[in-house]
Amino acid sequence: MRTYRIATIPGDGIGKEVVPAGRRVLEAIAAGSPNFRFDFEDFDWGGDYYRKHGVMMPADGLDALRGKDAILFGSAGDPHIPDHVTLWGLRLKICQGFDQYANVRPTRILPGIDAPLKRCAPKDLDWVIVRENSEGEYSGVGGRAHQGHPIEVATDVSIMTRAGVERILRFAFRLAQSRPRKRLTVITKSNAQRHAMVMWDEIALQVSKEFPDVKCDKELVDAATARMVNRPATLDTIVATNLHADILSDLAAALAGSLGIAPTANLDPERRYPSMFEPIHGSAFDIMGKGLANPVGTFWSAVMMLEHLGERSAARQLMEAIERVTANPALHTGDLGGKATTAEVTEAVCAMLASNAAANSQAA
Ligand code: NAD
Ligand code: MN
């Protein structure tokens, strides 16, 4: 029996509601499997920790996570602390500290979900967005001088390295190759940004030669938004910079029905460090503390975690349970137009897993 060591970091806002829900569901799936179990360790980092200690996580925090097999994360963002402090002090510290350079965001319209694109059949929207997660516009390079004076100046320098671009493109090509349609769209803005984005296009062309079976095209990011809405079926795997893919994936999540459903994985594909799995939504200040958060984004992120750990059958079982729950409108949370609570959705998924496990053991 294999034991996976999992760090849970609920963070702030509804992260404190959806991460415990995710842990419950993972415990339920392990209870039904003879092959593995989980050893969870919870970390109370985030806004409350900041109020006590002046930092979002301790200075040696990464060392506490280093030996874990994976991290399940909620959200960083507190109504009383500036967003750039919470984000850089916790989530980006982990992403960059563990060089989780590939951010992977699958998007599908799950059964039972009323998505806004009325001309699009659910099967026409099946994408994976790959976001460069270590450099680019969010490299953190820049500064401010003469603050508050009329001559004040501020810069955010976008850093693109050949090594960084090459590794994310190669990852995206490999992912596209593993999907049935073997299709990759490389998104840049190489008309207006004439240095780094032109380098992206050049490197994409070079890397594409290593993957002759992948059909590759390119699109400018502004045109890509229109294409996502008007011709969703022409897209499959998508790769873009840190900023562009951040924006495109919120659009993708909305087109799939709700931000509350969308999952993401921050991967170190070389597995030198633990990878981190999280719903793409934030702290949701408007509903936090009320038990109304949709936990499905966290559950789907847990599916990605199981896949990363190599537990394919458990991943499939959990995804099936999630889809059977979304198919029932009585189990929809407020973001989907329903009245269900976080706890009700969580119990329903756990019950589905338990009944599957019982059916399997009877069949065996
Ligand atoms: P948000 O995702 O928190 O909320 C946007 C809207 O979507 C809100 O109306 C919210 O109620 C709704 N929503 C989001 N997730 C939901 C869920 N699971 N169930 C039901 N409704 C849901 O985005 P925001 O308002 O831009 O950000 C709020 C805070 O979260 C900010 O501090 C921001 O910096 C932070 N944030 C953190 C992360 C992260 O840690 N990965 C990501 C995004 C935002
Ligand atoms: Mn975002």
Side-chain angles (χ1 to χ4, degrees):
M1 166 104 63
R2 181 88 218 257
T3 298
Y4 296 112
R5 304 180 61 198
I6 308 296
T8 49
I9 309 176
D12 303 318
I14 61 168
K16 290 183 189 158
E17 301 165 48
V18 294
V19 166
R23 178 174 166 165
R24 265 195 54 79
V25 159
L26 282 167
E27 273 163 353
I29 195 109
S33 167
N35 303 326
F36 67 92
R37 59 183 290 278
F38 292 111
D39 176 9
F40 289 101
E41 186 177 357
D42 197 58
F43 294 87
D44 64 346
W45 304 340
D48 292 337
Y49 191 93
Y50 182 90
R51 271 180 282 277
K52 263 184 251 153
H53 305 280
V55 286
M56 292 289 287
M57 64 185 272
D60 59 357
L62 289 182
D63 292 329
L65 301 176
R66 212 175 290 280
K68 303 297 181 190
D69 293 301
I71 303 163
L72 184 66
F73 187 82
S75 169
D78 183 289
H80 307 294
I81 306 170
D83 284 342
H84 65 275
V85 172
T86 52
L87 186 67
W88 279 96
L90 185 55
R91 187 174 164 272
L92 289 183
K93 223 180 187 147
I94 299 170
C95 287
Q96 300 206 339
F98 289 154
D99 201 18
Q100 295 163 344
Y101 66 84
N103 185 257
V104 180
R105 302 179 159 199
T107 310
R108 275 191 299 124
I109 301 177
L110 298 186
I113 303 297
D114 182 26
L117 288 183
K118 294 308 166 208
R119 282 172 301 164
C120 159
K123 66 164 178 37
D124 289 341
L125 199 164
D126 184 354
W127 306 327
V128 183
I129 299 180
V130 176
R131 165 179 171 187
E132 201 298 314
N133 209 31
S134 68
E135 54 175 34
E137 306 88 344
Y138 298 174
S139 59
V141 175
R144 279 176 83 170
H146 310 301
Q147 281 196 40
H149 294 277
I151 56 162
E152 178 167 358
V153 54
T155 59
D156 273 295
V157 183
S158 172
I159 302 285
M160 305 279 186
T161 64
R162 175 169 281 276
V165 177
E166 237 177 68
R167 67 181 183 177
I168 196 65
L169 283 167
R170 203 164 272 128
F171 177 87
F173 270 99
R174 231 175 257 132
L175 182 64
Q177 194 175 43
S178 76
R179 286 170 55 88
R181 294 170 70 200
K182 299 192 196 299
R183 222 195 142 99
L184 178 68
T185 302
V186 179
I187 292 176
T188 63
K189 185 66 188 171
S190 51
N191 54 349
Q193 296 177 298
R194 59 187 178 162
H195 307 294
M197 293 283 71
V198 174
M199 181 177 80
W200 262 73
D201 283 352
E202 285 172 14
I203 296 175
L205 186 65
Q206 285 163 13
V207 175
S208 72
K209 307 262 196 287
E210 299 166 24
F211 300 86
D213 54 335
V214 175
K215 218 164 133 207
C216 173
D217 69 341
K218 60 178 194 169
E219 190 79 78
L220 297 174
V221 65
D222 42 355
T225 60
R227 179 167 163 192
M228 285 166 73
V229 173
N230 293 325
R231 293 180 295 135
T234 66
L235 294 161
D236 187 82
T237 308
I238 294 166
V239 62
T241 70
N242 211 331
L243 169 67
H244 292 164
D246 184 8
I247 298 167
L248 293 178
S249 54
D250 269 33
L251 171 60
L255 293 177
S258 172
L259 205 53
I261 292 177
T264 178
N266 301 284
L267 299 179
D268 165 26
E270 280 78 43
R271 294 172 186 261
R272 298 157 296 171
Y273 306 104
S275 292
M276 180 159 76
F277 302 81
E278 54 169 349
I280 88 165
H281 63 73
S283 301
F285 303 145
D286 50 338
I287 58 164
M288 65 183 184
K290 297 183 179 158
L292 301 176
N294 190 345
V296 167
T298 305
F299 297 164
W300 194 345
S301 304
V303 171
M304 298 184 82
M305 176 191 283
L306 289 165
E307 280 165 358
H308 181 76
L309 295 172
E311 297 296 341
R312 276 169 224 293
S313 143
R316 219 173 13 249
Q317 277 174 52
L318 179 52
M319 197 66 219
E320 272 169 29
I322 293 169
E323 295 192 16
R324 283 170 66 185
V325 165
T326 62
N328 179 359
L331 293 169
H332 286 182
T333 43
D335 55 313
L336 299 172
K339 289 195 166 48
T341 62
T342 313
E344 284 163 355
V345 179
T346 306
E347 290 321 309
V349 171
C350 290
M352 205 71 83
L353 290 170
S355 73
N356 280 355
N360 286 348
S361 69
Q362 254 174 12

